[in-house]
mmCIF file of all heavy atoms in Angstrom:
data_model
loop_
_atom_site.group_PDB
_atom_site.id
_atom_site.type_symbol
_atom_site.label_atom_id
_atom_site.label_comp_id
_atom_site.label_asym_id
_atom_site.label_seq_id
_atom_site.Cartn_x
_atom_site.Cartn_y
_atom_site.Cartn_z
ATOM 1 N N ARG R 138 82.945 100.649 87.115
ATOM 2 C CA ARG R 138 83.550 100.595 88.464
ATOM 3 C C ARG R 138 84.425 101.793 88.811
ATOM 4 O O ARG R 138 85.133 101.821 89.811
ATOM 5 C CB ARG R 138 84.390 99.312 88.607
ATOM 6 C CG ARG R 138 83.680 98.032 88.346
ATOM 7 C CD ARG R 138 82.656 97.664 89.381
ATOM 8 N NE ARG R 138 82.062 96.366 89.130
ATOM 9 C CZ ARG R 138 82.530 95.219 89.667
ATOM 10 N NH1 ARG R 138 83.555 95.250 90.466
ATOM 11 N NH2 ARG R 138 81.923 94.073 89.428
ATOM 12 N N ARG R 139 84.373 102.854 87.936
ATOM 13 C CA ARG R 139 85.269 103.970 88.168
ATOM 14 C C ARG R 139 84.838 104.792 89.399
ATOM 15 O O ARG R 139 83.667 104.781 89.803
ATOM 16 C CB ARG R 139 85.315 104.889 86.957
ATOM 17 C CG ARG R 139 84.005 105.584 86.639
ATOM 18 C CD ARG R 139 84.182 106.416 85.350
ATOM 19 N NE ARG R 139 82.915 107.140 85.050
ATOM 20 C CZ ARG R 139 81.913 106.658 84.360
ATOM 21 N NH1 ARG R 139 81.984 105.410 83.877
ATOM 22 N NH2 ARG R 139 80.836 107.395 84.098
ATOM 23 N N ALA R 140 85.816 105.454 89.971
ATOM 24 C CA ALA R 140 85.557 106.294 91.172
ATOM 25 C C ALA R 140 84.627 107.469 90.806
ATOM 26 O O ALA R 140 84.690 107.996 89.667
ATOM 27 C CB ALA R 140 86.864 106.811 91.739
ATOM 28 N N GLU R 141 83.777 107.886 91.756
ATOM 29 C CA GLU R 141 82.793 108.912 91.466
ATOM 30 C C GLU R 141 83.451 110.308 91.527
ATOM 31 O O GLU R 141 83.013 111.218 90.895
ATOM 32 C CB GLU R 141 81.654 108.881 92.483
ATOM 33 C CG GLU R 141 80.819 107.598 92.351
ATOM 34 C CD GLU R 141 79.663 107.602 93.333
ATOM 35 O OE1 GLU R 141 79.545 108.559 94.153
ATOM 36 O OE2 GLU R 141 78.849 106.676 93.298
ATOM 37 N N THR R 142 84.569 110.454 92.273
ATOM 38 C CA THR R 142 85.193 111.760 92.389
ATOM 39 C C THR R 142 86.442 111.793 91.544
ATOM 40 O O THR R 142 87.167 110.785 91.418
ATOM 41 C CB THR R 142 85.538 112.077 93.845
ATOM 42 O OG1 THR R 142 86.363 110.989 94.338
ATOM 43 C CG2 THR R 142 84.339 112.177 94.706
ATOM 44 N N PRO R 143 86.775 112.976 90.937
ATOM 45 C CA PRO R 143 87.939 113.058 90.053
ATOM 46 C C PRO R 143 89.282 112.962 90.741
ATOM 47 O O PRO R 143 90.294 112.630 90.105
ATOM 48 C CB PRO R 143 87.741 114.390 89.357
ATOM 49 C CG PRO R 143 86.958 115.208 90.320
ATOM 50 C CD PRO R 143 86.039 114.239 91.002
ATOM 51 N N ARG R 144 89.309 113.300 92.069
ATOM 52 C CA ARG R 144 90.590 113.229 92.804
ATOM 53 C C ARG R 144 90.340 112.539 94.147
ATOM 54 O O ARG R 144 89.297 112.771 94.778
ATOM 55 C CB ARG R 144 91.148 114.638 93.049
ATOM 56 C CG ARG R 144 91.672 115.331 91.834
ATOM 57 C CD ARG R 144 92.431 116.568 92.143
ATOM 58 N NE ARG R 144 91.664 117.590 92.790
ATOM 59 C CZ ARG R 144 92.132 118.723 93.286
ATOM 60 N NH1 ARG R 144 93.443 118.970 93.245
ATOM 61 N NH2 ARG R 144 91.367 119.608 93.825
ATOM 62 N N VAL R 145 91.285 111.741 94.571
ATOM 63 C CA VAL R 145 91.231 111.030 95.813
ATOM 64 C C VAL R 145 92.560 111.135 96.544
ATOM 65 O O VAL R 145 93.616 111.023 95.888
ATOM 66 C CB VAL R 145 90.857 109.532 95.625
ATOM 67 C CG1 VAL R 145 90.832 108.814 96.947
ATOM 68 C CG2 VAL R 145 89.509 109.403 94.913
ATOM 69 N N ARG R 146 92.519 111.370 97.845
ATOM 70 C CA ARG R 146 93.723 111.451 98.630
ATOM 71 C C ARG R 146 94.451 110.114 98.685
ATOM 72 O O ARG R 146 93.839 109.080 98.911
ATOM 73 C CB ARG R 146 93.435 111.970 99.998
ATOM 74 C CG ARG R 146 94.667 112.408 100.838
ATOM 75 C CD ARG R 146 94.303 112.993 102.165
ATOM 76 N NE ARG R 146 95.427 113.526 102.906
ATOM 77 C CZ ARG R 146 95.799 114.771 102.885
ATOM 78 N NH1 ARG R 146 95.153 115.657 102.173
ATOM 79 N NH2 ARG R 146 96.882 115.149 103.608
ATOM 80 N N VAL R 147 95.753 110.148 98.551
ATOM 81 C CA VAL R 147 96.545 108.905 98.593
ATOM 82 C C VAL R 147 96.693 108.421 100.029
ATOM 83 O O VAL R 147 97.040 109.168 100.924
ATOM 84 C CB VAL R 147 97.938 109.131 97.998
ATOM 85 C CG1 VAL R 147 98.743 107.792 98.001
ATOM 86 C CG2 VAL R 147 97.830 109.626 96.548
ATOM 87 N N GLY R 148 96.397 107.144 100.232
ATOM 88 C CA GLY R 148 96.589 106.562 101.590
ATOM 89 C C GLY R 148 97.662 105.612 101.732
ATOM 90 O O GLY R 148 98.168 105.302 102.784
ATOM 91 N N LEU R 149 98.199 105.079 100.541
ATOM 92 C CA LEU R 149 99.189 104.011 100.584
ATOM 93 C C LEU R 149 99.881 103.934 99.217
ATOM 94 O O LEU R 149 99.239 104.065 98.168
ATOM 95 C CB LEU R 149 98.506 102.679 100.909
ATOM 96 C CG LEU R 149 99.376 101.473 101.024
ATOM 97 C CD1 LEU R 149 100.225 101.496 102.292
ATOM 98 C CD2 LEU R 149 98.521 100.212 101.009
ATOM 99 N N LEU R 150 101.213 103.700 99.214
ATOM 100 C CA LEU R 150 101.942 103.442 98.016
ATOM 101 C C LEU R 150 102.511 102.028 98.122
ATOM 102 O O LEU R 150 103.133 101.687 99.155
ATOM 103 C CB LEU R 150 103.098 104.441 97.830
ATOM 104 C CG LEU R 150 104.031 104.213 96.647
ATOM 105 C CD1 LEU R 150 103.313 104.359 95.307
ATOM 106 C CD2 LEU R 150 105.188 105.176 96.752
ATOM 107 N N CYS R 151 102.304 101.243 97.064
ATOM 108 C CA CYS R 151 102.692 99.810 97.129
ATOM 109 C C CYS R 151 103.394 99.450 95.831
ATOM 110 O O CYS R 151 102.840 99.568 94.748
ATOM 111 C CB CYS R 151 101.462 98.976 97.341
ATOM 112 S SG CYS R 151 101.802 97.261 97.660
ATOM 113 N N PHE R 152 104.649 98.984 95.943
ATOM 114 C CA PHE R 152 105.391 98.408 94.821
ATOM 115 C C PHE R 152 105.122 96.912 94.814
ATOM 116 O O PHE R 152 105.508 96.213 95.745
ATOM 117 C CB PHE R 152 106.874 98.695 94.914
ATOM 118 C CG PHE R 152 107.239 100.144 94.856
ATOM 119 C CD1 PHE R 152 107.221 100.925 96.001
ATOM 120 C CD2 PHE R 152 107.573 100.716 93.646
ATOM 121 C CE1 PHE R 152 107.555 102.301 95.937
ATOM 122 C CE2 PHE R 152 107.886 102.068 93.567
ATOM 123 C CZ PHE R 152 107.894 102.874 94.697
ATOM 124 N N VAL R 153 104.512 96.437 93.750
ATOM 125 C CA VAL R 153 104.074 95.065 93.702
ATOM 126 C C VAL R 153 104.885 94.224 92.762
ATOM 127 O O VAL R 153 105.392 94.736 91.749
ATOM 128 C CB VAL R 153 102.572 94.935 93.357
ATOM 129 C CG1 VAL R 153 101.680 95.685 94.365
ATOM 130 C CG2 VAL R 153 102.274 95.464 91.942
ATOM 131 N N GLN R 154 105.041 92.959 93.065
ATOM 132 C CA GLN R 154 105.727 92.004 92.203
ATOM 133 C C GLN R 154 104.998 90.659 92.279
ATOM 134 O O GLN R 154 104.968 90.027 93.316
ATOM 135 C CB GLN R 154 107.165 91.817 92.648
ATOM 136 C CG GLN R 154 107.963 90.785 91.825
ATOM 137 C CD GLN R 154 108.164 91.239 90.366
ATOM 138 O OE1 GLN R 154 108.710 92.291 90.157
ATOM 139 N NE2 GLN R 154 107.672 90.433 89.433
ATOM 140 N N TYR R 155 104.388 90.272 91.167
ATOM 141 C CA TYR R 155 103.752 88.951 91.123
ATOM 142 C C TYR R 155 104.819 87.921 90.857
ATOM 143 O O TYR R 155 105.643 88.035 89.977
ATOM 144 C CB TYR R 155 102.697 88.924 90.010
ATOM 145 C CG TYR R 155 102.132 87.534 89.781
ATOM 146 C CD1 TYR R 155 101.161 87.066 90.642
ATOM 147 C CD2 TYR R 155 102.573 86.702 88.781
ATOM 148 C CE1 TYR R 155 100.649 85.762 90.506
ATOM 149 C CE2 TYR R 155 102.068 85.418 88.638
ATOM 150 C CZ TYR R 155 101.097 84.954 89.498
ATOM 151 O OH TYR R 155 100.607 83.681 89.360
ATOM 152 N N ASP R 156 104.773 86.840 91.667
ATOM 153 C CA ASP R 156 105.729 85.724 91.499
ATOM 154 C C ASP R 156 104.988 84.463 91.844
ATOM 155 O O ASP R 156 104.650 84.186 92.964
ATOM 156 C CB ASP R 156 106.926 85.908 92.473
ATOM 157 C CG ASP R 156 107.998 84.870 92.277
ATOM 158 O OD1 ASP R 156 107.779 83.905 91.589
ATOM 159 O OD2 ASP R 156 109.096 85.053 92.850
ATOM 160 N N ALA R 157 104.776 83.645 90.794
ATOM 161 C CA ALA R 157 104.031 82.395 90.976
ATOM 162 C C ALA R 157 104.685 81.449 91.948
ATOM 163 O O ALA R 157 104.053 80.562 92.507
ATOM 164 C CB ALA R 157 103.818 81.723 89.610
ATOM 165 N N ALA R 158 106.043 81.612 92.154
ATOM 166 C CA ALA R 158 106.710 80.730 93.051
ATOM 167 C C ALA R 158 106.707 81.164 94.508
ATOM 168 O O ALA R 158 107.204 80.445 95.394
ATOM 169 C CB ALA R 158 108.191 80.571 92.636
ATOM 170 N N CYS R 159 106.116 82.321 94.785
ATOM 171 C CA CYS R 159 106.008 82.852 96.133
ATOM 172 C C CYS R 159 105.064 82.016 96.976
ATOM 173 O O CYS R 159 103.887 81.869 96.615
ATOM 174 C CB CYS R 159 105.588 84.313 96.074
ATOM 175 S SG CYS R 159 105.610 85.189 97.640
#
Side-chain angles (χ1 to χ4, degrees):
R138 304 289 185 94
R139 66 183 182 272
E141 294 182 358
T142 56
R144 290 192 296 174
V145 178
R146 193 176 184 95
V147 181
L149 181 71
L150 175 66
C151 188
F152 294 87
V153 300
Q154 178 65 59
Y155 174 79
D156 185 349
C159 186

